Amino acid sequence: MTAPDAGRGIGNGESAAEITTTFVGLPRDSFRILHVSTGNVCRSPITERLTRHYLSQRLGVLGGGLIVESAGTWGHEGAPMEANAEAVLADFGADASGFTGRELLDEHVIMADLVLTATRDHRAQVISMGHSAGLRTFTLKEFTRLVRAIDPATLPALEDGVVVRARALVRAAAALRGWLLAPTAEADEVYDPYGAPLPFFRSIGDEIHQALDPVVTALTGVAAHRPGGTRNP
């Protein structure tokens, strides 16, 4: 498989629709974030496109090297994003265009520097694929909890490169995992809205936003422009 756009990332001036979704041949000065859910038509597309949106907002042209993708453990290969998921992204001002679902493959895991899953079951499935994925695979909410406990002053400055900072963040989160447990098992879950009405999709979108905000802040060293961050009215 060729990767004609390998090396593009958020912050090279592309719109979200132009950011590469290939995974072969990426340079090592890139950092690839892989979001995983079940069908890759609801939760992981929302998370992927919101991550891209927030990184673009905060880093602009400085975000080169960050690659954000998604896939599903039972991915609907080639399927469009669910219409309600698109509506949620529109609420946040994020771009839903050009998306097609993918089934999670070994090479996706091999190339990922950070895997963020919707649930603990997804995390277990990714880790069971091997490829030394355990230290870089978290549920989204688990990673958020760990990131909140990391002193930003201990991370490399953005001037050292966002890729360097991102790799240090993953190492720090992995080191904390056994010490900072979830208050309940459900605390690390983002539930599946597939087939649900738009209000439930919007509640899931809000959950994903709230989990992503501190992660993107930690990755970039830049706080959100809109304090608290909400959906557009």
Side-chain angles (χ1 to χ4, degrees), residues 32-38 44 70-74 102-140 142 177:
R32 179 168 170 264
I33 302 170
L34 177 66
H35 294 293
V36 174
S37 63
T38 302
S44 51
S70 64
T73 55
W74 290 84
R102 303 191 306 175
E103 183 175 357
L104 182 67
L105 302 176
D106 287 283
E107 46 261 53
H108 298 141
V109 177
I110 291 168
M111 293 302 295
D113 296 287
L114 172 62
V115 184
L116 296 176
T117 70
T119 69
R120 292 167 296 148
D121 283 347
H122 296 133
R123 181 185 63 195
Q125 289 179 66
V126 171
I127 292 172
S128 73
M129 295 171 74
H131 316 302
S132 303
L135 291 177
R136 50 197 166 89
T137 302
F138 309 80
T139 74
L140 171 62
E142 173 192 23
R177 179 153 33 195

Side-chain angles (χ1 to χ4, degrees), residues 42 46 63 70 78 88 94 135 149-150 154 191 213 215:
C42 297
I46 292 172
S70 64
V88 167
L135 291 177
I150 297 169
T154 64
Y191 291 107
D213 183 70
V215 171

Side-chain angles (χ1 to χ4, degrees), residues 133-207:
L135 291 177
R136 50 197 166 89
T137 302
F138 309 80
T139 74
L140 171 62
K141 288 185 175 180
E142 173 192 23
F143 194 66
T144 301
R145 183 176 69 255
L146 298 172
V147 161
R148 287 183 184 275
I150 297 169
D151 182 354
T154 64
L155 298 173
L158 186 57
E159 289 76 12
D160 295 328
V162 68
V163 169
V164 171
R165 184 181 177 94
R167 290 180 181 156
L169 182 67
V170 173
R171 290 194 299 269
L176 281 174
R177 179 153 33 195
W179 299 93
L180 193 62
L181 302 179
T184 65
E186 291 73 22
D188 282 344
E189 305 282 291
V190 175
Y191 291 107
D192 192 355
Y194 185 77
L198 182 56
F200 187 69
F201 265 83
R202 284 182 165 148
S203 71
I204 294 299
D206 287 339
E207 282 187 38

